[in-house]
Amino acid sequence: MAVLVTGGTGFIGSHTCVELLERGYDVVIIDNLSNSSADVVDRIEKIAGRRPVFYEGDMLDKELLNSIFDRHEIDSVIHFAGLKAVGESVRIPVSYYRTNIGSTLNLIDAMKAHGCTRIVFSSSATVYDASDVSPLKEDALLGTSSPYGRTKLFIEQILRDECVADPSFTAILLRYFNPIGAHPSGLIGENPNGIPNNLLPYIVNVALGILPQLNVYGSDYPTPDGTGVRDYIHVCDLARGHIHALEYAATIKGADAINLGTGNGTSVLEIVHAFEKENSITIPYVLTDRRPGDNATTYADPGKANELLGWHAQYDIHDMVRDSWHFAQVFLKNSR
Ligand code: NAD
Ligand code: UD1
């Protein structure tokens, strides 16, 4: 039996494929390479010592999806594929709704047509209402301000509805906090196109000399040093959480939302200083205005994942900034 990993050549998907292969699962990937590249498949194989089956194609292509289920004995799906940039989703909302929701509808149809009833879905902490107070438990108030966030909320609801309609269906809705870091080998990691929006890729670009300085968005928040606090989680811890979620999915029916975070809040300046110390690099930065839409503090209560999945984050902030920088160096060296 195999696991279908949609978006498996992307940042979180590639790390999860490595974990799956290393634990003996057979892996089938579908990815349209809109935000990743085919050589990630070689890199996954190099780390894991086994090669996933790879289909280059779009989740909106129903025929392809069905043919993958026809060709492989797929008993569960981990669904990463989708568009994920909050700002872009405000500019092109219809593309976000079509891609993220349309892909999921096609996937559910193909799963049902082939008797596959288990799915682990990439949701996000962005589904929590910004006014709620951290640490956030899964029953905190939901509400989101961007089309991207709404696709996550809608998909969670669609999967819940499907679980009610079909009692044999199981959906684990994993709400990720802020994934950073990279595989310690330096072979896979995050490689966004253009100027990054997220903090760690931006810092890496400053460290590489591609961008002159970091803009720290807001220094007057009600936090210990005035800068925004988030729950950063190492992508390898996150990837491992998916294996635990698959195992848990095999023991329950219905839908369940579970946070994947460390439970620790770290400020922007703490991240900058950790990056500088761990990697012996100075990161020039300026304190600027708050970024619209940001809140002061967001971090998880990971108690449910600890208890139900038997999963705990193992890496700390120093591991995360070290591995992010290591990947940038190895990746750049190899792609020159
Ligand atoms: P990513 O962009 O690196 O990976 C997504 C992959 O999906 C890419 O390889 C892309 O090429 C592929 N893809 C996109 N649209 C597709 C389509 N129509 N058909 C086939 N493939 C398609 O993103 P990521 O950071 O690995 O995130 C994975 C998932 O986790 C996404 O659903 C994202 O919304 C969610 N998530 C990410 C974060 C984060 O900070 N990275 C946080 C919360 C949730
Ligand atoms: C953002 C998304 C969220 C998504 C998450 C992970 C928004 C509003 N939210 O969360 O939906 O799930 O990414 O992909 O976009 N910062 C700077 N300078 C920078 C970049 C960021 O100071 O150049 C600060 C931010 O103000 C924030 C922290 O760093 O306090 C983290 O920002 P970021 O990495 O963008 O993640 P989130 O905003 O938490």
Side-chain angles (χ1 to χ4, degrees):
M1 297 300 264
V3 180
L4 175 65
V5 182
T6 79
T9 50
F11 173 43
I12 306 169
S14 56
H15 290 80
T16 303
C17 288
V18 166
E19 282 286 336
L20 286 165
L21 290 162
E22 286 181 343
R23 284 159 195 257
Y25 290 89
D26 289 329
V27 173
V28 179
I29 295 175
I30 174 172
D31 199 302
N32 67 0
L33 304 181
S34 59
N35 199 34
S36 54
S37 64
D39 71 358
V40 171
V41 181
D42 302 332
R43 292 157 180 261
I44 291 170
E45 182 182 12
K46 202 164 173 188
I47 300 169
R50 294 173 60 220
R51 193 171 179 84
V53 176
F54 173 58
Y55 291 91
E56 179 179 346
D58 201 290
M59 296 289 293
L60 296 177
D61 181 347
K62 290 185 186 191
E63 239 172 80
L64 173 64
L65 263 183
N66 278 299
S67 73
I68 292 173
F69 278 93
D70 286 341
R71 268 179 255 171
H72 303 274
E73 294 272 320
I74 292 167
D75 74 344
S76 44
V77 177
I78 307 182
H79 180 31
F80 295 103
L83 302 175
K84 63 163 186 175
V86 174
E88 184 183 62
S89 80
V90 176
R91 291 192 297 279
I92 50 168
V94 175
S95 295
Y96 271 67
Y97 290 121
R98 182 180 299 113
T99 300
N100 291 2
I101 295 177
S103 293
T104 309
L105 297 178
N106 288 349
L107 181 61
I108 296 171
D109 281 343
M111 287 173 69
K112 288 179 72 73
H114 293 84
C116 176
T117 55
R118 280 205 287 273
I119 183 167
V120 173
F121 170 62
S122 302
S123 189
S124 165
T126 196
V127 300
Y128 291 116
D129 192 284
S131 67
D132 220 329
V133 178
S134 292
L136 294 164
K137 280 188 196 279
E138 288 78 358
D139 60 2
L141 194 60
L142 299 181
T144 186
S145 57
S146 71
Y148 165 71
R150 276 186 280 280
T151 69
K152 294 294 176 191
L153 266 185
F154 293 160
I155 294 167
E156 283 200 4
Q157 191 57 54
I158 290 165
L159 289 168
R160 286 182 191 281
D161 290 343
E162 186 52 40
C163 288
V164 172
D166 178 352
S168 71
F169 213 78
T170 303
I172 309 298
L173 316 168
L174 294 180
R175 295 179 179 157
Y176 311 153
F177 281 69
N178 290 59
I180 59 172
H183 193 271
S185 65
L187 288 171
I188 53 174
E190 190 172 17
N191 181 31
N193 297 324
I195 297 180
N197 297 307
N198 295 123
L199 180 62
L200 235 289
Y202 204 104
I203 290 176
V204 165
N205 272 261
V206 173
L208 290 169
I210 296 169
L211 294 167
Q213 65 194 14
L214 172 70
N215 300 306
V216 176
Y217 296 140
S219 52
D220 58 351
Y221 283 113
T223 60
D225 65 16
T227 67
V229 167
R230 296 290 183 273
D231 187 339
Y232 297 93
I233 173 170
H234 195 294
V235 66
C236 291
D237 273 332
L238 193 65
R240 202 167 38 79
H242 290 74
I243 317 298
H244 288 252
L246 269 189
E247 288 166 357
Y248 175 61
T251 67
I252 65 156
K253 292 283 172 255
D256 209 357
I258 302 178
N259 289 336
L260 287 184
T262 64
N264 302 316
T266 306
S267 76
V268 176
L269 287 183
E270 283 173 330
I271 287 275
V272 169
H273 296 321
F275 191 98
E276 292 184 319
K277 183 159 178 261
E278 198 62 40
N279 300 316
S280 306
I281 292 176
T282 301
I283 301 296
Y285 66 84
V286 285
L287 304 178
T288 63
D289 289 345
R290 294 179 180 191
R291 182 172 65 177
D294 276 354
N295 63 340
T297 301
T298 297
Y299 60 94
D301 179 331
K304 190 170 173 183
N306 299 162
E307 195 182 319
L308 292 184
L309 305 185
W311 169 92
H312 294 81
Q314 291 172 355
Y315 291 94
D316 67 16
I317 284 294
H318 297 278
D319 302 317
M320 300 181 210
V321 295
R322 181 198 61 226
D323 290 341
S324 288
W325 180 231
H326 181 226
F327 168 70
Q329 290 171 302
V330 173
F331 184 80
L332 270 199
K333 207 168 92 197
N334 288 344
S335 56
R336 263 190 201 129

